[in-house]
Amino acid sequence: MAGLPVYRWRLAPEGLATFRQLRAMGLRPGGQPVVAQLERPRRRRGPLVAYLYRIDLARPVRPMTPAKRAALARANAARRICPACGRDAGYRIPPSLGMCVPCADAPAALAA
C-alpha cells in the first residue's frame, strides 16, 4: 500500500491546505481523506506533522446555531465552577489543579 506524499515545510503544492488554513478560509475538510503530509523538521525531536486536504473538495463551515451557542456557553460556565468551594473562579479551572487557585493553595498555606 502506498503511503501519503510528504512535503517539506512551506513547499506544499497549490490547492492543498492544512485544517487550520481551511478554517481560516471558512472551510472544513467535509469528510475527504487526507491527501498529503507536511513535515517541519525540529532539532532533537521528530518532525512536526500536518495533514493536507484539497481546497476544491472542502465544504463551508456549518454556521453556529443558537442551540449550539447556548450549549457551548453552559459547558464553558461549568468549567469555571470550582468543585471544592462551588464558586465561579472567573477563569477556566486548570485540569492539573482540579480546583481554583485559592483552594489549591489552601493546603500549602496550612502546612507552612
Side-chain angles (χ1 to χ4, degrees), residues 12-99:
E14 292 292 323
L16 299 181
T18 64
F19 182 85
R20 285 187 178 190
Q21 290 170 336
L22 286 176
R23 188 56 67 140
M25 292 183 248
L27 301 171
R28 62 185 170 95
Q32 66 174 298
V34 174
V35 177
Q37 185 173 313
L38 188 69
E39 287 189 353
R40 179 180 180 202
R42 298 190 293 178
R43 296 182 195 185
R44 298 187 186 108
R45 289 190 267 172
L48 288 174
V49 175
Y51 298 111
L52 298 172
Y53 302 93
R54 289 180 46 184
I55 296 173
D56 60 338
L57 297 179
R59 296 181 181 167
V61 174
R62 294 182 187 131
M64 181 73 78
T65 64
K68 281 185 182 180
R69 191 175 306 278
L72 189 59
R74 285 192 306 270
N76 286 332
R79 296 179 81 178
R80 293 168 50 126
I81 304 295
C82 176
C85 64
R87 290 183 291 175
D88 185 351
Y91 53 87
R92 187 185 61 83
I93 295 174
S96 59
L97 292 179
M99 59 185 74

